[in-house]
Amino acid sequence: MPEHPPAEAPPAVVAPAGDLAEAPPAEDRAEDLLAAWTALLHRCGAAVDPEPYGRELLRRWSEPQRRYHTVAHLRAVLRQVDELAGHADDPDAVRLAAWFHDAVYRPDRTENEERSAALAVRALTAAGLPAERVAEVERLVLLTVGHDPAPGDRDGEVLCDADLAVLGGAPGAYAAYAAAVREEYGFVPAPDFTAGRAAVLRHLLALPALYRTPAARDRFTAAARANLTAELHALTG
């Protein structure tokens, strides 16, 4: 999800999906997530062993520049997708998009979602998934740029609601989320961060609806609007 518009910088170098880097430390491997990924890829028709791809994704989600966009965020989004899966037309496409939606994340660079979508296309094509599903995953990942799916886009609604569920947490949990976002942008001077973050908060508050699925709308809307408004007031006085 967008948190703060980063300053322009040279494009990030994204390694091909098949170029596997060193595995993360044991405490970050999240073997239950790896098992879920492997089962998901098998259900979707993978023609190769999915495990190396899953370990590479978990390595990406464990990179040191992350404070909020971590394995914990991935786990939370996947949990919300499972809870909202009955609303989706293709729940497994949404799960795949959740795995990739912040797989490329450099807070000092732009186009993270676009790079994450491109990574999804490379990895899922190499894994042998059908082109139609790969294209749907790419489309869904790109939706997380603005979190504004078209009416009737049930898969997009589930992914965006799952990604934005953090906004509707208890005040303490929301404060921890906002603090983690600020840590990710620790290199940004306070006035610039305040301006960028306030723009994001205003964008979210101006959406026609923060949540599109009935379950998420009922559960999160009131708390999310209260949290966003409180943070905006704290930032801008």
Side-chain angles (χ1 to χ4, degrees):
M1 61 177 294
E3 270 76 33
H4 172 73
E8 291 291 341
V13 176
V14 180
D19 293 348
L20 302 181
E22 182 180 352
E27 64 270 22
D28 295 329
R29 285 182 184 149
E31 295 298 327
D32 62 320
L33 287 177
L34 186 61
W37 161 265
T38 300
L40 173 62
L41 266 287
H42 283 312
R43 286 200 306 274
C44 293
V48 299
D49 179 7
E51 183 173 322
Y53 293 87
R55 291 198 182 279
E56 165 64 1
L57 282 169
L58 290 171
R59 182 200 66 78
R60 288 176 175 273
W61 284 94
S62 302
E63 291 165 338
Q65 76 274 13
R66 297 171 182 259
R67 294 296 182 272
Y68 169 68
H69 295 88
T70 63
V71 170
H73 172 59
L74 170 62
R75 187 187 297 280
V77 172
L78 288 168
R79 183 172 61 250
Q80 291 295 333
V81 169
D82 286 345
E83 293 185 5
L84 300 171
H87 184 83
D89 291 323
D90 186 350
D92 279 345
V94 182
R95 292 183 179 100
L96 288 169
W99 271 93
F100 282 98
H101 79 286
D102 283 321
V104 177
Y105 186 72
R106 291 287 301 273
D108 59 334
R109 304 203 177 174
T110 59
E111 300 182 346
N112 284 316
E113 292 86 358
E114 291 84 353
R115 295 176 188 279
S116 295
L119 177 66
V121 171
R122 290 199 302 272
L124 297 178
T125 300
L129 269 62
E132 295 80 4
R133 182 165 261 161
V134 173
E136 173 66 354
V137 173
E138 178 185 25
R139 183 188 74 82
L140 290 170
V141 172
L142 290 173
L143 273 180
T144 64
V145 174
H147 295 90
D148 192 16
D153 179 3
R154 296 172 73 90
D155 292 340
E157 289 172 348
V158 170
L159 180 64
C160 290
D161 283 6
D163 196 25
L164 295 181
V166 64
L167 304 180
Y174 183 89
Y177 146 74
V181 170
R182 182 63 182 105
E183 285 186 41
E184 286 185 337
Y185 289 97
F187 60 92
V188 178
D192 295 337
F193 178 84
T194 295
R197 179 66 178 170
V200 169
L201 298 174
R202 292 189 182 103
H203 164 76
L204 290 169
L205 286 166
L207 288 175
L210 272 172
Y211 302 100
R212 310 304 179 86
T213 64
R217 186 166 56 242
D218 292 346
R219 181 179 175 188
F220 297 126
T221 298
R225 291 200 172 275
N227 286 331
L228 292 167
T229 301
E231 185 187 359
L232 183 59
H233 286 168
L235 285 172
T236 62

